[in-house]
Amino acid sequence: AQSVTQLDSQVPVFEEAPVELRCNYSSSVSVYLFWYVQYPNQGLQLLLKYLSGSTLVKGINGFEAEFNKSQTSFHLRKPSVHISDTAEYFCAVSEGGAQKLVFGQGTRLTINP
Amino acid sequence: GAVVSQHPSRVICKSGTSVKIECRSLDFQATTMFWYRQFPKQSLMLMATSNEGSKATYEQGVEKDKFLINHASLTLSTLTVTSAHPEDSSFYICSATPPTRVTGEEFGPGTRLLVL
């Protein structure tokens, strides 16, 4: 069965500093990988996804993620964060061909001025 | 495009009553929709997969008689929380995948349920 681990429950960062949110997964088959952002009391917004092809995926709001098959990781990065990036971030995986998602525990990103 | 809506956005009810939550795909048809539950400061947990014209598929540990799902049309799925209790208070989120995509869901804005 597939599972997703987000290693950091909270990440505090100063504004304009770089950030990396870590995500590792386990699966016995090929997977699709996603990062979502959730602002307070709202649904989820897709930041980016990896389906196939280039392992470096660029998303919205300046975020990018790199798929590393050997390390079964899909870490999310942003070179310079803004106050508005304060939110909860979820990594998710679906096994190839299946639509339903399995989510990680989430990482709360807090940007300090 | 690819918008999913939910109604209501927030509902407060008394213990023992039933609450219906609607999930609509506004500009695409969805043969499959998903219902998730999110407790405060926790992740999303898949409750069930809603299949148009057939029975929903429930995840392990989710009571199908308590969480009734109806997917009567290609744009609407409903989740009814029957005889709600305070422990059912949660954030319920639905999602659907547009047919033009391989995968990757569009999520509704969520429904906050508070059972008193």
Side-chain angles (χ1 to χ4, degrees):
Chain A
Q2 55 191 330
S3 67
V4 180
T5 302
Q6 291 182 242
L7 297 166
D8 306 298
S9 60
Q10 296 185 61
V11 173
V13 184
F14 285 109
E15 192 173 16
E16 298 183 3
V19 69
E20 178 180 82
L21 306 183
R22 296 180 292 171
C23 172
N24 287 87
Y25 68 93
S26 65
S27 176
S28 58
V29 298
S30 62
V31 296
Y32 299 140
L33 295 155
F34 306 82
W35 275 99
Y36 289 88
V37 60
Q38 185 181 34
Y39 299 102
N41 297 311
Q42 294 187 28
L44 273 67
Q45 181 181 9
L46 179 67
L47 280 176
L48 48 79
K49 61 185 175 184
Y50 171 79
L51 303 182
S52 65
S54 173
T55 57
L56 182 62
V57 180
K58 293 188 182 298
I60 63 171
N61 301 341
F63 285 95
E64 64 180 32
E66 186 158 19
F67 170 56
N68 188 318
K69 187 175 181 179
S70 63
Q71 297 186 6
T72 60
S73 68
F74 190 55
H75 301 332
L76 181 70
R77 303 186 186 97
K78 185 169 182 177
S80 177
V81 295
H82 190 267
I83 291 285
S84 59
D85 292 323
T86 296
E88 190 85 19
Y89 291 80
F90 291 96
C91 181
V93 62
S94 69
E95 291 187 334
Q99 289 187 344
K100 67 179 183 180
L101 296 172
V102 174
F103 285 86
Q105 301 90 327
T107 298
R108 178 167 297 279
L109 177 63
T110 304
I111 311 300
N112 299 308
Chain B
V3 177
V4 177
S5 71
Q6 278 184 246
H7 178 80
S9 59
R10 180 185 295 266
V11 56
I12 301 173
C13 69
K14 294 182 179 180
S15 184
T17 61
S18 294
V19 176
K20 180 185 285 187
I21 303 171
E22 294 184 347
C23 177
R24 294 182 184 273
S25 55
L26 297 184
D27 53 359
F28 64 96
Q29 294 182 334
T31 56
T32 303
M33 292 184 175
F34 303 91
W35 287 97
Y36 294 85
R37 180 168 54 186
Q38 185 181 30
F39 291 110
K41 300 186 186 302
Q42 294 189 28
S43 188
L44 282 76
M45 296 297 294
L46 180 65
M47 298 175 66
T49 302
S50 173
N51 304 300
E52 189 269 335
S54 64
K55 293 182 179 180
T57 304
Y58 291 82
E59 296 299 303
Q60 191 173 9
V62 178
E63 300 175 57
K64 62 180 181 180
D65 294 330
K66 180 168 184 63
F67 298 99
L68 300 179
I69 291 174
N70 184 283
H71 195 152
S73 79
L74 288 171
T75 59
L76 174 64
S77 174
T78 60
L79 169 68
T80 301
V81 183
T82 62
S83 186
H85 291 281
E87 58 265 30
D88 297 323
S89 299
S90 187
F91 195 48
Y92 292 86
I93 306 175
C94 72
S95 71
T97 300
T100 54
R101 293 189 189 170
V102 173
T103 186
E105 301 165 27
E106 289 291 340
F107 285 85
T111 296
R112 173 84 52 197
L113 171 63
L114 176 61
V115 184
L116 303 176

